[in-house]
Amino acid sequence: MRPTEDDTAVRPLDHGGRLGPYTLVAPVGAGGMGVVYRAHDERLGRDVAIKVIRPGLLASDAARRRFRIEALALGKLNHPNIATVYDAGTQDGADYLVMELISGQTLKERLESDSLSMQESVTLASEIASALEEAHEHSVIHRDLKPGNIIVTPKGHAKILDFGLAKMLGTNPNDETHPLIDTGVVGTPSYMSPEQAEGRPVDARTDLWSLGVVLYEALAGRVPFRGESGLAVLRAITQEEPDPLRNARWDVPADAVRIVSRALEKHVDKRYQSAAEMGRDLAGISARLSAPDLPRSSLHGGPLAIGVAVLLAAAAGAGWFYHRSERMHWAREQAIPQIRKDFDESRSLAGFGLLNEAELLLPGDPTLAAMFAKNTRNLSIESLPQGATVEVQDYLAPETPWLRLGVTPLRNVRVPNGYFRWRVSKPNVGELLLAPLTRTKMTFDLDAQKSEPAGMKLVEGGEWADMIAFVGWVGPYELQPYYIDRTEVTNRDYQTFVDSGGYAKHEYWRETFLRDGRELTWEEAMSALRDRSGRAGPSTWEGGHYPAGQDDYPVSGVSWYEAAAYAAYAGKSLPVFAQWFRAMPTGISAAAIPQSNISRNAMAPVGTFGGIGPFGTVDMIGNVREWIANSDDNHSRFILGGAWSSLPYLASDPESLPPFDRSPTNGMRCVRNTAPLSAQVAAPITTQRRDFDHYKPASDDTFRAYEAMYAYDKRPLNAESNGVIETTADWRKEKITFDAAYDGERVIAYLFLPKKIKPPFQTVVFFPSARVLYLDNSSTLGDLQFFDYIIQSGRAVMYPVYKGTYERQDTRMLPGTRGNLDLVIRQFKDLGRSIDYLTSRPDIDTNRLAYLGVSMGAAQGVIYCTLAQDAFKTVIFLDGGYFLNRTTPGGDQADFAPRLKKPVLMVNGRYDFTFPLAKSQEPLFRTLGADAALKRHVVLDTPHDVSAKKTDLVQAVLPWLDKYLGRSQ
């Protein structure tokens, strides 16, 4: 007996103790019912396995009856492929079973460590069927048959363990010790039969389903029904067809496919009716697989005839064999690495094409079979009406050809994993172009287009909830179907509102005008909503008209009030927070960013970029930010999606602005609701909050432990210089590499040296914002606008490439993941090694070093600068603040800030949603450990990017550096 995969910790009995005639030797594991021990039977001189029932599990009479039923059921079974039960007993309140001690690996362990041959898989299944036949003859159902409950002995035979969930099928339903029916859902989801999953009565045929799943997994390397949760797996078992076995492993014999298919029939009457019947079919395949090949001469004439035929075939086919061998070599040496590369780099369709081509050359190749299992799936696709052509295209490669999947209805069509554009079309009906998340069953409603208002797309209703950055969980809300503008509202659209006298019609302006907490009159509000010439219109217009040639550009420079009034004029409304994120989920923003007009050079006509959404919208990311109906808890209004000039992460991270804000990046799109919105979904969105003023920082002892986490050995740097790689009128840029403090890695760093000042140089060590996470090579450095003026002032700037940025990205350690603390620690070590490098250079004045961090570099800089404050004369945080979510111990800024005693300058945006003024910036400033005279907080009228007020930024930073480093000479 061995522990199973359901093991949980249970307090063991003392080693050397006795249960009846059995001496406990050592625990070998713990199962769902208790601890399993290796023990010695003193009477018979043999080792056994004893399962001691967990205390309290049999506290009730019903539980004790279950235990006695299990003992009775197992005691009846005597079969070479079933673990034998020898004894059962109770001592000092401890109930136990005595069983055969079996050596070997569980089938689960075998499948995880190595693949089974076809012969091994079928033979083991045949033996399991024989064991089930014995159990079923004694009216015992296992009900939890799975690889973790099957031992493969050293001689390669199967032994079934753990009938702990078995039920006796007695003849008397009134006999409580032999329950005939049990409708509880008991078992392991992936191996449960449909009737188990639905909590219906079961019989012996439920074990045959489970055996079919086990055989499928042994052959294919994966289970036939999968899902992101146990409930999703159960739903797939009851409602979906299994992935065809041949899609996972092409060399499976047809008879084996037939056996698995029959075992996995959802209706029990279509399934195998007995283990004996299934066992006979399995034994037949096993015999054929093990039979030696017969000599061809015994079947088709004498040796001479065979020899002539062989010679002729060899002569005729030599060229073909040579060509084929070359192609097979190509498949192994070139195609397989390229397939991996294509899938890793989101070129799924290209990889899929190569995968199919290579499989034709190497049928049954285990590497290719594993690639099919990992990188492809089966889909069923419907359309309304049927008969539509379905095509897909890699989302990140819109220039590549479309792959035609077929004509609906499509059943179990094989497609690669990935995110795609879908084109579904039917002559005389219409065409859909959209990018939904791929699901096992997909339905495309071409008929729905007929009811869509012009220029709008239908968004299906349903429950919506999501974790939104810097907000927290929002929802769940039940949304009714609604229509949303396919594109942003254009200048041409908005001109009709202006020309119709929209600014003079009170009926469109339905909200109370508020500015800085004061209610404005109609006249005061309208006087604020003027274009450059003083006429009614957006701030970017002049003379009541948009710039020439920009008809199809999105309208920009509008306040929230103007956006809401236009929506009312158009018979629509602004989308609520949940509607916007349902139409453009956060999960697809990473794919859509490269296809959208964000972090680029200029606004573009609507629809220019290919960042299409799941329901066919475009430009929801970038171009202009889009006003949202909801306010935040500070009376500002949300504005989502980022603009052409925004940081990439604002594609999914929200912003909020005062409703009168008329920045040139502000625009809108509208929705038309099919039913009234609930008050809940339209209510203000409450954002995250922490009470830092009453937070008790870590004790000194705990903090010393944190310091130990970040400590590193100051080994030789082994620095190498690439020399000057760039020169401008103001600086020379050197590239340096040196050893990191971990994992044998090398740190890349760039040192900007001023041209007009003589060394030794005052130096600022820089840490960038999260925008650099979207850059994959430091040959183009981001965030220079935050420090270029510092070099021009005569100071050097050190810009390390920290772990997790640029070419040192690591998806296991991105911000927000479980590896985030590891990332923070490594980044601190990179900072420390950068300081170590600076101290090695005679042209650097290491007595006058400063730290400057932006956003991510400012927030995490609270930790870094506290730990390294002896190296710095002063610290500057731009766009920083406290994170409002609790973090892993050792990574909470609030434990570090009170210990940061060096002079600190904070420069922030008043309308920063990422680090809000009252909830994040000001608490950090108050709790910094520096004396009041040594810290300053400058608040600019910007959102989360103080470089938007560059002059004000420079006027705050340079005097601060002059004060604490001295003026550069």
Side-chain angles (χ1 to χ4, degrees):
M1 181 69 183
R2 287 165 52 96
T4 71
E5 64 193 47
D6 295 323
D7 293 351
T8 54
V10 181
R11 184 177 180 180
L13 299 176
D14 293 335
H15 300 173
R18 291 176 65 89
L19 287 175
Y22 308 103
T23 300
L24 301 181
V25 176
V28 294
M33 291 183 69
V35 179
V36 180
Y37 291 85
R38 184 187 186 96
H40 189 71
D41 186 341
E42 303 295 344
R43 299 169 304 176
L44 301 178
R46 64 181 177 183
D47 284 345
V48 296
I50 295 183
K51 178 161 64 175
V52 179
I53 307 305
R54 189 170 63 221
L57 186 62
L58 301 181
S60 68
D61 291 340
R64 291 186 179 277
R65 283 198 297 272
R66 179 183 288 272
F67 173 62
R68 289 195 295 271
I69 290 169
E70 180 187 9
L72 178 61
L74 295 176
K76 290 182 178 181
L77 305 181
N78 183 13
H79 190 276
N81 300 113
I82 297 177
T84 305
V85 172
Y86 298 136
D87 195 4
T90 301
Q91 177 178 306
D92 299 329
D95 300 284
Y96 60 91
L97 281 175
V98 183
M99 294 160 283
E100 178 184 2
L101 183 66
I102 303 169
S103 60
Q105 285 183 298
T106 66
L107 179 56
K108 180 177 185 291
E109 292 168 337
R110 278 293 306 273
L111 293 175
E112 288 175 345
S113 62
D114 191 16
S115 60
L116 295 177
S117 69
M118 197 78 66
Q119 173 71 56
E120 290 174 309
S121 299
V122 174
T123 299
L124 288 171
S126 178
E127 292 180 348
I128 295 166
S130 177
L132 291 175
E133 180 182 0
E134 166 73 11
H136 295 167
E137 286 178 356
H138 287 83
S139 299
V140 177
I141 308 173
H142 192 292
R143 296 219 322 173
D144 195 22
L145 186 68
K146 58 188 176 183
N149 283 336
I150 299 165
I151 291 286
V152 181
T153 69
K155 293 186 177 181
H157 296 295
K159 283 271 191 178
I160 302 179
L161 309 177
D162 199 353
F163 277 81
L165 297 175
K167 298 294 176 182
M168 293 298 295
L169 291 182
T171 57
N172 182 0
N174 296 318
D175 183 351
E176 290 186 338
T177 64
H178 295 74
L180 179 63
I181 296 174
D182 182 353
T183 58
V185 178
V186 182
T188 303
S190 293
Y191 305 89
M192 291 172 64
S193 66
E195 56 270 29
Q196 275 182 293
E198 294 175 348
R200 293 187 280 114
V202 301
D203 58 24
R205 291 171 291 185
T206 198
D207 283 347
L208 305 185
W209 168 284
S210 299
L211 177 53
V213 176
V214 171
L215 178 56
Y216 184 111
E217 184 177 7
L219 294 171
R222 58 179 170 84
V223 293
F225 299 97
R226 292 172 289 175
E228 296 180 354
S229 65
L231 287 176
V233 172
L234 296 181
R235 190 180 302 113
I237 288 170
T238 58
Q239 299 178 9
E240 299 176 8
E241 293 303 313
D243 290 344
L245 185 54
R246 280 273 178 87
N247 284 348
R249 185 166 177 176
W250 295 87
D251 59 340
V252 177
D255 286 347
V257 173
R258 179 181 56 80
I259 291 172
V260 170
S261 296
R262 187 176 176 191
L264 297 183
E265 286 283 357
K266 295 191 188 301
H267 197 289
V268 293
D269 291 339
K270 295 181 179 180
R271 206 177 298 161
Y272 278 104
Q273 298 301 294
S274 71
E277 181 185 8
M278 187 174 179
R280 284 194 297 272
D281 286 353
L282 287 166
I285 299 177
S286 181
R288 288 193 293 276
L289 289 171
S290 60
D293 292 336
L294 293 174
R296 296 285 183 180
S297 59
S298 67
L299 299 176
H300 297 290
L304 180 59
I306 295 299
V308 172
V310 169
L311 287 173
L312 289 173
W320 180 86
F321 279 115
Y322 175 79
H323 175 72
R324 179 171 175 79
S325 67
E326 287 294 302
R327 294 289 290 160
M328 292 171 68
H329 177 80
W330 166 84
R332 289 192 179 94
E333 302 301 322
Q334 297 181 43
I336 289 177
Q338 185 61 45
I339 292 165
R340 289 194 181 101
K341 191 173 190 298
D342 284 340
F343 278 109
D344 288 345
E345 296 179 0
S346 300
R347 295 189 298 270
S348 301
L349 294 183
F352 185 59
L354 274 180
L355 187 56
N356 281 297
E357 186 177 352
E359 199 281 329
L360 291 174
L361 296 167
L362 302 173
D365 182 85
T367 300
L368 293 176
M371 285 180 163
F372 265 108
K374 177 182 178 182
N375 297 301
T376 68
R377 68 174 84 179
N378 275 9
L379 304 181
S380 293
I381 304 171
E382 304 275 354
S383 69
L384 299 173
Q386 298 284 26
T389 300
V390 181
E391 301 165 284
V392 292
Q393 181 187 66
D394 277 321
Y395 191 89
L396 293 178
E399 72 286 351
T400 57
W402 290 82
L403 172 66
R404 186 179 185 274
L405 299 182
V407 176
T408 59
L410 295 169
R411 298 285 184 269
N412 291 324
V413 60
R414 198 70 171 173
V415 300
N417 297 334
Y419 186 45
F420 305 112
R421 300 168 194 276
W422 293 74
R423 186 166 65 189
V424 183
S425 59
K426 185 174 183 178
N428 303 318
V429 177
E431 176 182 285
L432 292 176
L433 183 62
L434 61 174
L437 296 172
T438 305
R439 293 172 292 186
T440 303
K441 291 184 178 180
M442 304 184 73
T443 300
F444 296 94
D445 192 347
L446 288 163
D447 287 335
Q449 292 185 112
K450 300 172 185 176
S451 62
E452 289 178 343
M456 304 192 83
K457 305 303 296 183
L458 176 65
V459 179
E460 63 187 24
E463 186 179 84
W464 178 88
D466 201 355
M467 171 63 77
I468 305 298
F470 304 103
V471 176
W473 274 107
V474 184
Y477 302 136
E478 188 66 32
L479 298 177
Q480 298 300 315
Y482 60 96
Y483 299 100
I484 188 168
D485 288 341
R486 178 178 174 272
T487 70
E488 300 141 320
V489 174
T490 65
N491 282 319
R492 179 189 287 109
D493 298 329
Y494 199 83
Q495 186 75 61
T496 63
F497 170 65
V498 175
D499 292 347
S500 69
Y503 278 79
K505 296 180 179 178
H506 289 241
E507 62 267 27
Y508 301 140
W509 306 80
R510 300 168 181 172
E511 299 288 333
T512 301
F513 297 108
L514 294 174
R515 170 175 272 176
D516 299 329
R518 185 176 73 85
E519 183 175 338
L520 272 60
T521 65
W522 166 267
E523 291 74 20
E524 287 175 320
M526 291 301 106
S527 67
L529 304 178
R530 300 293 175 180
D531 67 18
R532 294 168 182 165
S533 64
R535 298 186 63 177
S539 66
T540 54
W541 288 20
E542 190 169 359
H545 203 280
Y546 54 85
Q550 295 193 6
D551 311 57
D552 294 320
Y553 281 68
V555 64
S556 61
V558 293
S559 67
W560 182 87
Y561 292 110
E562 289 165 289
Y566 170 82
Y569 157 80
K572 304 176 184 179
S573 59
L574 294 180
V576 294
F577 197 86
Q579 288 176 324
W580 195 95
F581 275 113
R582 184 170 186 80
M584 179 51 68
T586 56
I588 71 169
S589 61
I593 284 170
Q595 302 297 314
S596 301
N597 187 21
I598 190 168
S599 284
R600 297 181 186 264
N601 299 320
M603 195 185 304
V606 298
T608 302
F609 288 80
I612 192 170
F615 300 96
T617 57
V618 293
D619 293 326
M620 292 192 74
I621 290 176
N623 226 18
V624 291
R625 302 180 290 187
E626 299 176 14
W627 283 111
I628 300 301
N630 305 77
S631 66
D632 64 12
D633 46 12
N634 197 36
H635 306 296
S636 290
R637 297 284 175 166
F638 283 98
I639 191 164
L640 303 180
W644 60 268
S645 59
S646 295
L647 309 181
Y649 56 77
L650 290 174
S652 57
D653 289 6
E655 296 179 89
S656 69
L657 294 171
F660 269 103
D661 187 277
R662 306 179 82 218
S663 299
T665 52
N666 297 353
M668 64 180 134
R669 81 177 63 219
C670 304
V671 298
R672 181 168 292 169
N673 296 310
T674 60
L677 294 175
S678 69
Q680 182 186 29
V681 77
I685 303 291
T686 301
T687 55
Q688 292 173 319
R689 181 180 295 275
R690 281 184 67 184
D691 184 1
F692 293 102
D693 291 332
H694 294 91
Y695 178 78
K696 185 177 181 181
S699 67
D700 289 344
D701 288 342
T702 300
F703 190 76
R704 281 191 288 271
Y706 293 162
E707 289 179 308
M709 292 167 51
Y710 288 86
Y712 65 91
D713 295 329
K714 293 197 174 184
R715 295 171 292 184
L717 288 162
N718 297 315
E720 296 179 2
S721 174
N722 289 39
V724 176
I725 62 170
E726 179 186 275
T727 183
T728 71
D730 297 306
W731 65 69
R732 301 183 307 276
K733 183 170 73 172
E734 294 183 15
K735 182 178 181 181
I736 309 107
T737 61
F738 44 84
D739 287 348
Y742 51 85
D743 300 341
E745 294 192 27
R746 298 278 287 176
V747 179
I748 304 166
Y750 296 89
L751 185 59
F752 294 80
L753 300 173
K755 277 189 172 182
K756 301 172 184 178
I757 299 294
K758 294 181 180 181
F761 304 114
Q762 300 177 16
T763 304
V764 174
V765 184
F766 182 69
F767 199 118
S769 71
R771 79 194 71 193
V772 305
L773 299 178
Y774 296 88
L775 302 175
D776 57 12
N777 195 294
S778 61
S779 59
T780 302
L781 290 170
D783 282 353
L784 267 67
Q785 72 272 25
F786 289 99
F787 67 80
D788 53 2
Y789 59 93
I790 293 176
I791 313 171
Q792 292 164 352
S793 75
R795 298 175 174 93
V797 171
M798 178 71 157
Y799 192 146
V801 174
Y802 298 91
K803 182 68 174 177
T805 66
Y806 298 108
E807 55 264 53
R808 302 189 67 209
Q809 292 177 9
D810 188 335
T811 56
R812 297 168 299 174
M813 294 163 47
L814 289 177
T817 67
R818 290 181 63 85
N820 185 47
L821 181 59
D822 290 335
L823 176 62
V824 171
I825 291 172
R826 283 166 170 77
Q827 289 180 342
F828 169 74
K829 292 178 180 180
D830 290 344
L831 174 67
R833 295 292 276 175
S834 299
I835 297 170
D836 295 342
Y837 172 76
L838 290 174
T839 62
S840 73
R841 291 191 53 137
D843 58 346
I844 301 298
D845 184 350
T846 54
N847 291 318
R848 293 192 288 177
L849 299 182
Y851 176 93
L852 187 148
V854 180
S855 189
M856 172 178 72
Q860 294 172 189
V862 175
I863 297 174
Y864 304 149
C865 293
T866 302
L867 295 168
Q869 59 185 310
D870 289 344
F872 298 122
K873 286 292 185 181
T874 188
V875 171
I876 300 171
F877 295 144
L878 309 180
D879 288 328
Y882 270 136
F883 290 113
L884 298 178
N885 58 302
R886 292 195 175 275
T887 57
T888 307
D892 193 332
Q893 304 153 286
D895 290 327
F896 291 80
R899 293 177 164 90
L900 179 53
K901 306 294 186 180
K902 288 301 174 76
V904 177
L905 169 67
M906 289 178 57
V907 184
N908 289 93
R910 187 180 309 278
Y911 309 117
D912 188 338
F913 183 80
T914 302
F915 297 112
L917 177 62
K919 294 193 294 185
S920 174
Q921 301 169 27
E922 291 176 345
L924 172 59
F925 184 75
R926 285 196 300 270
T927 55
L928 286 169
D931 292 339
L934 298 179
K935 56 185 180 180
R936 183 184 180 210
H937 188 198
V938 177
V939 181
L940 306 180
D941 287 332
T942 69
H944 183 70
D945 181 1
V946 291
S947 69
K949 295 275 189 179
K950 186 71 173 283
T951 300
D952 295 336
L953 172 63
V954 173
Q955 290 175 350
V957 172
L958 291 185
W960 188 265
L961 291 175
D962 289 344
K963 180 177 181 179
Y964 289 101
L965 299 185
R967 294 185 63 85
S968 55
Q969 302 298 321

